[in-house]
Each structure stands twice: as structure tokens, then as C-alpha cells.
Amino acid sequence: MIAYRQSAERFIPARHHAALVLDYACSQDLHHSGDQLLRGTGLSHWDMPAADCLLTPQEYLQLLANIMRALASPDSSFMLGQQMLPGHDGALSHALLQAQNLRQALDILCAGHARLCPLLTPRFREEGGLAVLYWTDSFSAPSQLPALVEMHMTAVTAMCRWLSGERLPWRYCINRSAPAHVEQHQMHLGSDLRFNCHLDAMLIDPAWLDRPWPRGNAMAASVALQSMASDAPALTPSLLTALYDYLLENIRMGPTLEGSAAAFGTSPATLKRHLARHGSHFQAELDRVRAHVAMQLFQMRGYDNEAVAQYLGFHDATNFRRSFKRWTGLAPSLLRDALLQF
């Protein structure tokens, strides 16, 4: 049975995430505004949260929303991202600090995402001469997704620059239209930006993955990773993340609501209710995974429509083209051509 967490569960240590947000807010003098900015956050004061204080994803999202709204600054998400990683999460953060290279750092980040970055899920793929780190929403926060993506991309960019001792040549795909001013993106991420993508992703040449980092320590990283593995319950993913992973693994077998519910040890009706609480439904999640797989096949394997249609189990390319346009709003040929140019 697949384990998962829901958005109303308390599992996010306030000292690891909320404390960083509070500290930045205090540095901007927001604590003088009183406690109204803490409403709905599970926090009652601006002091360091207690060691046993746990927040729900909804409360952590509310805290971020309150602080960013009060700051009303285009650089808030980027500044918060600068402080986010490696973080202060014991063995996980220590493992990141001791990572020997980019590949190991990304592996640690993806394995420990439930603690290191609980609101977005990073996924890493390397294929066809391209390495891609892409992000999906863990708890369905569409209104905050642009800021969360900026925050998380900045966090990875800044961490890699610090640990490697140089600025890595990341390229960025952002799933929204370009803002009126892109200065903050360019300052914190770089100039190699593409907006209006259908995936939030960071791309890099695989040659950078195994380049040794000066801070890397093989033994220390190994010990930290062993400690991390002993705390498996803390790494339980969200429902949306766990379902995405299940659908991705079984995408060629035509996953159904009934089969998915059985894998999660619940009834189809219960799974539908749980997804509804996350503002989603089974078909939307399945379509999202299919769209992402199709884009990966276009970009990383150079597949054409017919090959992708066959891979995803469509009867013919016409049905695939119709479905793909429903998923993304674009004909697959247009998106494929755009992806191959990046």
C-alpha cells in the first residue's frame, strides 16, 4: 500500500521552514505590524517556534502568502529562496552540505523533498544529452505556484553556486507568461530564461553532474545519507506526489482510478474525495503526467507524434494530438519544435 500525506496533516517542522520566513520578515520590520500577519499560520508570535511545533502545508502556505503580500516586493520569493537550502534539517541538510557533486546533491534533494522542500516536488531526469530538474505542486496551491517556483529555483541555483564554488549554467523553463519586468529573474537565476513553457524546469548539460565539488566529503555524505534513510516516515510524500509517481511508473499500462485506489489501499470514492480536497481529480492528474511524459519524449528522445502516441497507449496519432491540445492548449508539433530549440 502506498503511503501519503494530506494537506491538513501536521508534519512540517516550523523551526526548519517557518523560522526562515519569520526571520526574513523580521529583517524587513514586518514584526512591528503585529500578529495579524500570523493569522491562519498555526503560529501565535514572532519568536522562534518551539522544537515540537509542526505546521500543516496549508498553514505554511498561508504564512508565505501573508508575508509576501505584506512585503509587496518583486524580489520576496527570490530572497526567501536564497535562504532555503541546504536548510536546517539535520542529516538531510548535512548530506547536502557534503554532496560530492551536482548529481548527488540532486539525488539527495529529490529523495528528501518531503522535508527539504515540502510544497513542491523536484524530479530529476537525465537522458538524450540533457539533465532536467522539474517541479510539480505537492499540495495544489495554484495561486502561489509562480512565487513557489521562483523560490525553489533560486534555492537550488544558490545552493549549487555555493557548494560548487561557481555559477552553474542552468537554463530555466517557466510555466507562465513573462512578467512585465524580468530583472529579478535575471539577477537571481540568470539570463537563460524561457517563459510560456508547460513545465517548471531547470536544465543543464550532463557534463556538470559529476564534476567534483570542493566541499564534498564522501564519508560524511554516506553517514548523513544512512541517518536520513533511518527516518523513512518523515519522508512520506504528499498524495499528489505519490499519485504522480504511481501514474508515471504505470503510464504505459493505462492506469485507472480503480487500479490506483487499490494501490493506495482505499476505495475509488475515497481517493476521489481526497483529491477533491486538494482541488484536483483523477483525470486531471493523469493528464498532467501524460503531458509531462509526452514533453520529455519529444525533448529528450526526439520522438514524433506517432511514437509518443504509441508509448502512451493511444490508438492513433490523431487521438493523441487531440488529447495533447486539450492538455496544453497547443498542437504537439508546435510544442515539440519549441522544446527541441531550447
Side-chain angles (χ1 to χ4, degrees):
M1 184 175 71
I2 299 173
Y4 60 91
R5 295 189 186 277
Q6 299 196 64
S7 60
E9 289 186 45
R10 294 189 175 278
F11 69 93
I12 299 177
R15 280 196 170 182
H16 297 166
H17 295 284
L20 290 176
V21 179
L22 292 175
D23 182 67
Y24 181 69
C26 289
S27 74
Q28 303 299 306
D29 294 325
L30 287 189
H31 57 297
H32 296 311
S33 303
D35 293 341
Q36 62 268 26
L37 291 180
L38 301 181
R39 290 175 183 169
T41 69
L43 301 170
S44 58
H45 50 75
W46 290 87
D47 298 332
M48 171 66 72
D52 60 351
C53 179
L54 300 176
L55 304 184
T56 69
Q58 294 171 333
E59 290 169 340
Y60 181 29
L61 282 164
Q62 188 64 56
L63 176 64
L64 286 169
N66 292 352
I67 298 303
M68 290 188 189
R69 183 170 57 250
L71 290 170
S73 172
D75 71 346
S76 298
S77 56
F78 300 98
M79 296 304 294
L80 286 169
Q82 289 281 352
Q83 306 176 54
M84 184 176 169
L85 294 174
H88 304 282
D89 203 319
L92 270 171
S93 296
H94 188 62
L96 279 177
L97 282 169
Q98 304 298 331
Q100 300 171 79
N101 49 47
L102 176 58
R103 184 188 301 278
Q104 188 174 50
L106 296 181
D107 287 343
I108 294 168
L109 178 66
C110 292
H113 74 268
R115 294 295 292 263
L116 293 168
C117 50
L119 300 181
L120 292 187
T121 301
R123 291 184 171 82
F124 173 66
R125 288 182 66 100
E126 178 194 0
E127 189 175 0
L130 190 64
V132 178
L133 180 72
Y134 72 102
W135 305 84
T136 57
D137 192 350
S138 301
F139 290 98
S140 190
S143 64
Q144 291 177 251
L145 197 54
L148 290 175
V149 168
E150 293 164 358
M151 180 175 164
H152 287 66
M153 285 188 173
T154 301
V156 172
T157 301
M159 178 189 73
C160 291
R161 185 175 186 177
W162 177 43
L163 296 179
S164 69
E166 57 188 325
R167 187 161 194 160
L168 302 188
W170 290 104
R171 292 176 286 160
Y172 303 87
C173 292
I174 300 175
N175 186 17
R176 66 178 175 116
S177 58
H181 303 284
V182 298
E183 291 84 356
Q184 294 299 329
H185 288 80
Q186 294 172 338
M187 179 185 301
H188 294 281
L189 300 180
S191 59
D192 208 340
L193 302 160
R194 174 176 287 191
F195 293 90
N196 293 309
C197 300
H198 292 269
L199 192 68
D200 292 304
M202 301 169 61
L203 293 73
I204 197 167
D205 188 311
W208 291 88
L209 293 174
D210 300 304
R211 188 166 176 166
W213 283 0
R215 297 173 181 270
N217 185 308
M219 181 168 291
S222 177
V223 171
L225 289 171
Q226 289 175 14
S227 299
M228 178 184 79
S230 66
D231 194 18
L235 304 181
T236 301
S238 72
L239 170 61
L240 295 185
T241 296
L243 181 57
Y244 185 107
D245 290 342
Y246 171 81
L247 295 174
L248 184 62
E249 183 178 352
N250 295 278
I251 199 64
R252 302 195 70 180
M253 294 182 282
T256 63
L257 171 63
E258 292 73 20
S260 301
F264 280 76
T266 188
S267 68
T270 298
L271 181 57
K272 286 171 67 175
R273 284 197 302 272
H274 289 172
L275 288 172
R277 293 193 189 104
H278 287 77
S280 188
H281 54 86
F282 181 78
Q283 191 62 50
E285 296 304 310
L286 178 59
D287 289 349
R288 178 171 65 152
V289 174
R290 283 174 167 169
H292 288 176
V293 170
M295 286 187 281
Q296 290 166 3
L297 294 174
F298 285 146
Q299 186 172 37
M300 304 177 89
R301 298 189 189 179
Y303 278 17
D304 59 16
N305 289 350
E306 288 72 19
V308 175
Q310 183 178 13
Y311 187 96
L312 292 177
F314 284 86
H315 295 301
D316 55 55
T318 300
N319 283 332
F320 165 70
R321 283 195 296 269
R322 187 180 301 116
S323 295
F324 189 87
K325 190 168 184 179
R326 176 170 55 83
W327 303 335
T328 67
L330 290 175
S333 58
L334 293 176
L335 188 54
R336 183 183 64 245
D337 293 345
L339 288 169
L340 292 175
Q341 292 172 13
F342 192 54

